[in-house]
Structures are given as C-alpha cells and as structure tokens.
C-alpha cells in the first residue's frame, strides 16, 4: 500500500522528517496575490522576496485556496491518503479538498482517503503530519491510523502572538471581532485557535510586558506537560529560540521544533509573528 500525507501550504513543514521514506508527502500550494503579481506558495517560493514585495506594495493583496484539481492530483499519487487542511472557518481550502475527495472516491473506489478540517493551521498541521507518518511507519493499518490521528487532534492547541493584524483584517478573516481589535493595532496580540476553528483573542499586551512569557505560561492552562511543540516564526528566529528556551526551563523533556512560516502563514501572521502548536489536554 502506498501511503500519502497531503496538506495545504498553510502547513509550514517542507519535508517530512519522520517516519519511513516511502510515504509521499505533498504540500498543495495556496496562491498569494500582491497586486498583479501572483506568488505560488510552494517550496520554490522566495520568502524574503515575497515579503519585500508585499511590504513595499500599497495596493490590494490577498490569498486564494487551492483548486479541487490541485488537491486531486496530490491524492492520486497514493492509495491511502491522509489530508489535513487549514480551518474551514477562515479558508475555502477544506471545501475544495472535499470536492476533490468526492472525485477521488468516484474515480478510485478501492482506494482510501481521510480528510480532516484541522480547525487550525501551521504548527498544528505539522504535528498532525508527524504523528501520521509515525503511525504509518509503525505498521498501523489505515483505520487504526485514522482513529489515532482523530484522537490526537483533540489534544492539539494553537497559540499565536502577532504584531500586526492588518492582512487578517483587510481580508476579512477576523470580521467578527474586528470591532474589538480596530483600536488596538500596534499592541501585541496573544490569541488562539478556538475549538470552532476561528481566531480568538486571549490578551493584548502593551509596551514592555512580555507577551512571549505569557504565551508559555498559558500552555499550562491547556494541559501542556512537556510533550511536542512546533514554533513557527516570520523572520523572528530569535524570539522563537527565546520561547523554546523558556519552555525547556520549565519542561526539560519537551520536544521542540522551530521552523520559519511558509508563504501563507507569513502573509497573515506578518513580520515578527509567532505561531505555536503543542500537545495538551483534550478539548
Ligand atoms: O483561503 C485562503 O485564501 C486562505 C485564508 C487564510 C486565512 C487565515 C490564516 C491565518 C494564518 C494567523 C495565526 C493563526 C490563526 C489560527 C486560526 C484558527 C496565521
């Protein structure tokens, strides 16, 4: 059986580093528009060039979910496919992946596919991909992997610390709470992915108060006990390292990966943004 793990490019993980080598890992790109220029968020994206262009351009910018055809092409590479998308509450990526899943099942009735709306993004998707790869490599069959991954998903949490919400607001991704945050731009925001898959604000911190220490202390309240963590950063590696050190001080056994945000998460989390995914208590 050929196994595949398929994610959209809101998952920052470029290469699957865990599990056996014969799992196909495919990242289906979203598109990023800066005026007339279109950037494809795949492994060839030059992130620095993209951010330069983005911040020097004063007009309209945006993102677009992958097409069903792009999802289908990724599924077709394998016989047993696990698919993880960014939250359906903020993107059409899941809906598109679902259309492709129906096409896939019709075309290949003997194959297997499991599609999960992660209700989250970035680091949480990396944790899911890693766990899935490990389960497959341990020899678990499709249904067993599916069951374990669904249960594991309930234990994952996502926090973010952003210095700007401009692109999220401009693209209507925080419309429900836009009123609340409109007045607090310039203040660092600590938020989380809610259990419904929306952005939820936790704290606003001003000035010298350390939002990153708050981020680490809040992990306790979500049941973090020293398990896996993935930290992604948009051109802010020093802060990612700082957070990792703070976590290790409290939990020497923690297993932490740091990586830079891909195009999609860079666009929305913006320069300086930090996103943190971790294992905690079930929700
Ligand atoms: O379909 C599209 O065009 C993509 C839209 C994506 C919109 C939101 C991306 C947010 C990325 C921000 C911090 C983490 C938020 C977690 C929310 C559940 C990064």
């Amino acid at each position: 059986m050929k196994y595949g793990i398929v994610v959209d490019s809101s998952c920052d993980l470029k290469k699957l580093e865990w599990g056996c080598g014969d799992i196909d890992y495919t990242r289906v790109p979203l598109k990023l528009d800066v005026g007339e220029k279109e950037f494809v968020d795949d492994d060839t994206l030059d992130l620095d060039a993209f951010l330069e262009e983005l911040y020097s351009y004063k007009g309209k910018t945006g993102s677009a979910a992958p097409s069903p055809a792009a999802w289908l092409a990724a599924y077709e590479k394998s016989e047993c496919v696990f698919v993880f998308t960014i939250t359906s509450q903020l993107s059409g990526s899941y809906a598109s992946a679902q259309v492709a899943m129906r096409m896939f099942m019709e075309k290949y009735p003997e194959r297997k596919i499991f599609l999960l709306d992660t209700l989250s993004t970035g680091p949480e998707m990396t944790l899911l991909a890693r766990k899935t790869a490990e389960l497959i490599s341990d020899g678990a069959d499709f249904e067993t992997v599916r069951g374990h991954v669904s249960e594991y998903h309930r234990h994952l949490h996502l926090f973010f610390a952003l210095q700007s919400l401009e692109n999220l607001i401009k693209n209507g991704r925080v419309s429900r709470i836009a009123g609340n945050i409109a007045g607090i731009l310039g203040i660092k925001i600590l938020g989380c992915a809610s259990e419904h898959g929306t952005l939820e604000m936790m704290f606003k911190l001003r000035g010298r108060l350390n939002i990153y220490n708050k981020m680490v202390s809040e992990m306790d309240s979500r049941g973090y006990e020293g398990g896996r963590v993935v930290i992604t950063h948009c051109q802010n590696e020093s802060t990612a390292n700082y957070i990792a050190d703070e976590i290790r001080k409290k939990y020497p056994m923690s297993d932490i990966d740091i990586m830079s945000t891909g195009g999609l998460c860079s666009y929305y989390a913006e320069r300086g943004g930090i996103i943190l995914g971790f294992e905690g208590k079930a929700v």
Side-chain angles (χ1 to χ4, degrees):
M1 273 301 185
K2 174 81 183 136
Y3 278 92
I5 298 174
V6 180
V7 296
D8 61 44
S9 66
S10 74
C11 177
D12 315 279
L13 182 72
K14 297 262 172 75
K15 203 174 158 288
L16 199 62
E17 295 150 30
W18 307 278
C20 57
D22 53 3
I23 301 169
D24 174 75
Y25 175 70
T26 304
R27 231 174 130 237
V28 181
L30 281 91
K31 304 249 170 66
L32 300 161
D33 294 312
V34 181
E36 295 298 298
K37 270 199 196 154
E38 184 183 79
F39 292 83
V40 179
D41 186 18
D42 61 15
D43 298 355
T44 67
L45 178 78
D46 179 340
L47 194 62
D48 293 339
F50 164 67
L51 291 170
E52 282 287 306
E53 187 83 25
L54 177 66
Y55 288 110
S56 59
Y57 184 73
K58 297 284 163 269
K60 208 173 148 22
T61 64
S63 62
S67 65
W71 280 112
L72 182 62
Y75 302 167
E76 282 181 326
K77 296 203 236 164
S78 310
E79 276 141 50
C80 292
V81 198
F82 292 89
V83 191
F84 304 112
T85 73
I86 185 171
T87 171
S88 61
Q89 298 305 301
L90 297 179
S91 169
S93 187
Y94 175 74
S96 179
Q98 217 173 15
V99 170
M101 178 173 73
R102 286 193 206 106
M103 292 156 78
F104 181 77
M105 286 162 70
E106 219 163 89
K107 210 167 158 186
Y108 309 101
E110 72 294 350
R111 298 199 196 179
K112 290 183 161 63
I113 183 163
F114 172 55
L115 165 63
L116 182 71
D117 173 1
T118 69
L119 301 174
S120 182
T121 190
E124 186 165 336
M125 291 168 69
T126 292
L127 288 167
L128 284 162
R130 175 179 179 180
K131 177 62 83 184
T132 306
E134 289 171 344
L135 288 162
I136 293 169
S137 302
D138 285 350
D141 63 24
F142 181 84
E143 287 307 327
T144 308
V145 177
R146 178 195 181 115
H148 278 68
V149 167
S150 304
E151 176 58 25
Y152 183 65
H153 181 219
R154 298 179 57 231
H155 291 262
L156 299 180
H157 300 263
L158 189 89
F159 288 170
F160 53 86
L162 308 184
Q163 296 178 6
S164 164
L165 295 177
E166 209 176 316
N167 288 336
L168 281 165
I169 294 171
K170 275 192 195 157
N171 287 284
R173 310 290 168 176
V174 287
S175 55
R176 255 175 7 108
I177 40 168
N180 297 339
I181 52 179
I184 53 172
L185 289 176
I187 296 175
K188 286 183 192 156
I189 314 280
L190 179 59
C192 63
S194 75
E195 57 180 302
H196 311 293
T198 51
L199 275 111
E200 193 172 297
M201 299 303 155
M202 296 160 74
F203 301 97
K204 315 159 204 169
L205 277 92
R206 215 180 272 275
R208 301 182 72 82
L209 284 174
N210 194 329
I211 197 157
Y212 306 115
N213 288 354
K214 186 78 183 154
M215 195 174 208
V216 174
S217 65
E218 280 301 307
M219 290 170 76
D220 292 340
S221 67
R222 302 295 178 106
Y224 180 70
E225 287 175 338
R228 288 177 186 170
V229 179
V230 173
I231 306 171
T232 64
H233 65 90
C234 182
Q235 297 185 326
N236 195 359
E237 191 168 13
S238 57
T239 300
N241 284 326
Y242 172 82
I243 294 170
D245 287 344
E246 290 300 302
I247 296 171
R248 283 193 198 102
K249 270 188 216 162
K250 281 168 89 173
Y251 304 99
M253 299 301 286
S254 57
D255 174 350
I256 308 176
D257 278 302
I258 296 176
M259 57 189 84
S260 65
T261 43
L264 195 273
C265 283
S266 297
Y267 174 66
Y268 285 103
E270 305 208 28
R271 270 189 185 142
I274 297 279
I275 313 178
L276 173 102
F278 60 94
E279 300 174 346
K281 63 185 174 200
V283 283

